[in-house]
Amino acid sequence: MNKAIVSDEDRLFELKLQGFVFERILLEEPEKCRLTILGSFPDSFLDPSSQPQPDTKTLPAILRIEKTAVPIDISGQIFPGSPGGGFLSYTKCMEHTDIYMWLAGWISETSSREKQPQGDVKINIICPATEVHIRKYSQQNSIIVRETPEIYRQIVEPFISDSPPERTQWVVEILQGLKEQSKILFSAPEFIILPDMKWDLHTVSSLYLIAIVRDESIRSIRDLRVKHIPLLQSIRRTASLIAHDRWDIPRGGLRMYIHYQPSYYHFHVHIVNANYDAGLGMRVGQAHLLDDVISLLQLDEERSGGPEIFERRTLTYGLGEQHGLYAALKAVEVERDS
Ligand code: M7G
């Protein structure tokens, strides 16, 4: 192990990781070489200066570990109790927002930090993880639900309005200039573009950016109106320019989409290398191409008066049984069939 190149800061994160106590595997995705595990950290995890006390409290934590470039079987290498001490030789914190932190990790002595700056694995940490996070990352079955405008008004809209503001604290911190500022690629009064935390910042074939709109009144695709067409077109144009200028990605080289249901009800657009298979987040129903959304709004442009397209549309999507909307929407589906 080449300890000589480990800085104090990196050592700190190595130590922090060693404090992790494994509880159980939430999700195993061998085809993606990704593993999501649940455990806990001592509460000193959040405060680097404090020493762990014997009666220290623990905080629930989720670790999502995935390979970056090298083909490795991570599930075979992780052993309970010491994801930091066991299979990683060193780690480096790439960024952290309120409860989210992501690190690059190097496994072996043969791969060096200079040769592979993105690490052998990428580790996303959520600490303290809420019940919503634990449920989101748990293995689960899904059903397909048809959300009519009426169901939206009666069930989904109240659910969105009730979702606690802490859920999108990370967005507020970025928009207020408190976090991830050195990574911002574009900033305008309407929106910003920066790397998504899923991206390792190096591998262009898996390029993953996110455009976050500043207007917090747009919570999801349901709130989009004809007046937002210029905003969406501007995101599309700017993302293409950035990807071309910075990474030489040609015209047509990006897949841009919006999730419904999203995890975070503050409007954002996913911007991903067109050749990258971003897994379940691209599944039909949940991912709506930005181009299709713009086109639908444009078709609506000529109508005068009355509710707009996303107020009139039925949206059909898969919903996991751990989702907060599952029980209510499943009951509606059962009723509809009977
Ligand atoms: P989503 O469609 O609401 O949910 O997308 P999903 O996570 O189920 O796809 C939110 C997007 O924001 C995801 O692609 C996340 O990886 C990304 N993201 C989440 N957080 C907490 C952060 C963060 O703190 N920083 C950055 N840069 N991206 C984040």
Side-chain angles (χ1 to χ4, degrees), residues 198-310:
K198 290 196 192 96
W199 193 36
D200 66 15
L201 300 181
H202 287 87
T203 317
V204 178
S205 59
S206 59
L207 178 103
Y208 203 138
L209 311 178
I210 183 171
I212 304 179
V213 164
R214 291 191 193 269
D215 179 356
E216 60 184 38
S217 70
I218 317 175
R219 296 159 306 170
S220 79
I221 210 170
R222 278 276 186 210
D223 292 328
L224 290 177
R225 300 289 176 264
V226 165
K227 66 177 180 202
H228 297 125
I229 294 175
L231 167 71
L232 300 174
Q233 287 173 323
S234 177
I235 291 176
R236 178 170 64 180
R237 198 172 43 247
T238 311
S240 298
L241 283 174
I242 291 172
H244 182 261
D245 290 353
R246 296 229 172 196
W247 297 285
D248 216 16
I249 292 182
R251 211 181 145 78
L254 293 176
R255 192 186 304 265
M256 301 187 220
Y257 55 89
I258 300 148
H259 279 159
Y260 194 75
Q261 297 288 334
S263 294
Y264 304 98
Y265 294 102
H266 183 123
F267 189 72
H268 53 275
V269 178
H270 299 252
I271 302 161
V272 180
N273 189 318
N275 294 301
Y276 180 54
D277 173 4
L280 292 180
M282 282 184 168
R283 110 188 97 180
V284 66
Q286 196 197 8
H288 297 255
L289 280 176
L290 176 62
D291 275 304
D292 287 350
V293 169
I294 293 174
S295 171
L296 275 174
L297 290 167
Q298 283 171 331
L299 286 172
D300 220 26
E301 223 173 349
E302 281 128 50
R303 289 176 82 248
S304 59
E308 294 199 22
I309 188 83
F310 283 105

Side-chain angles (χ1 to χ4, degrees), residues 97 100 102 136-137 170 174 180 194-198 208 210 259 261-264 268 270 286:
T97 47
Y100 304 89
W102 47 109
K136 171 178 168 184
Y137 292 115
W170 64 275
I174 294 171
E180 299 190 55
L194 76 163
D196 190 285
M197 75 172 187
K198 290 196 192 96
Y208 203 138
I210 183 171
H259 279 159
Q261 297 288 334
S263 294
Y264 304 98
H268 53 275
H270 299 252
Q286 196 197 8

Side-chain angles (χ1 to χ4, degrees), residues 47-275:
D47 175 8
S49 55
S50 76
Q51 294 297 315
Q53 301 298 316
D55 59 347
T56 191
K57 284 205 289 295
T58 58
L59 302 165
I62 294 177
L63 260 64
R64 309 196 75 212
I65 305 164
E66 66 190 298
K67 72 161 181 90
T68 56
V70 282
I72 42 148
D73 172 10
I74 16 178
S75 56
Q77 303 208 32
I78 292 172
F79 46 92
S82 55
F87 82 115
L88 293 176
S89 53
Y90 32 78
T91 53
K92 183 177 174 61
C93 181
M94 290 158 78
E95 195 56 76
H96 55 96
T97 47
D98 59 331
I99 55 168
Y100 304 89
M101 172 183 289
W102 47 109
L103 307 99
W106 288 265
I107 295 172
S108 62
E109 291 130 63
T110 46
S111 67
S112 81
R113 295 208 294 170
E114 284 78 18
K115 269 197 276 167
Q116 185 145 296
Q118 69 270 45
D120 296 329
V121 291
K122 184 163 176 292
I123 305 172
N124 281 23
I125 298 177
I126 307 176
C127 181
T130 64
E131 196 49 38
V132 175
H133 291 105
I134 296 169
R135 290 167 65 167
K136 171 178 168 184
Y137 292 115
S138 295
Q139 192 80 47
Q140 58 198 286
N141 291 322
S142 296
I143 56 163
I144 297 293
V145 296
R146 263 175 293 154
E147 183 192 293
T148 60
E150 200 191 354
I151 293 172
Y152 174 72
R153 275 192 299 276
Q154 284 176 358
I155 300 173
V156 181
E157 202 284 330
F159 172 84
I160 296 175
S161 297
D162 281 355
S163 84
E166 303 86 80
R167 284 284 294 157
T168 43
Q169 181 59 24
W170 64 275
V171 177
V172 173
E173 289 183 356
I174 294 171
L175 292 179
Q176 287 183 349
L178 302 172
K179 288 287 163 73
E180 299 190 55
Q181 295 308 291
S182 63
K183 301 203 170 65
I184 293 193
L185 299 162
F186 177 84
S187 178
E190 297 78 29
F191 66 94
I192 59 168
I193 297 182
L194 76 163
D196 190 285
M197 75 172 187
K198 290 196 192 96
W199 193 36
D200 66 15
L201 300 181
H202 287 87
T203 317
V204 178
S205 59
S206 59
L207 178 103
Y208 203 138
L209 311 178
I210 183 171
I212 304 179
V213 164
R214 291 191 193 269
D215 179 356
E216 60 184 38
S217 70
I218 317 175
R219 296 159 306 170
S220 79
I221 210 170
R222 278 276 186 210
D223 292 328
L224 290 177
R225 300 289 176 264
V226 165
K227 66 177 180 202
H228 297 125
I229 294 175
L231 167 71
L232 300 174
Q233 287 173 323
S234 177
I235 291 176
R236 178 170 64 180
R237 198 172 43 247
T238 311
S240 298
L241 283 174
I242 291 172
H244 182 261
D245 290 353
R246 296 229 172 196
W247 297 285
D248 216 16
I249 292 182
R251 211 181 145 78
L254 293 176
R255 192 186 304 265
M256 301 187 220
Y257 55 89
I258 300 148
H259 279 159
Y260 194 75
Q261 297 288 334
S263 294
Y264 304 98
Y265 294 102
H266 183 123
F267 189 72
H268 53 275
V269 178
H270 299 252
I271 302 161
V272 180
N273 189 318
N275 294 301

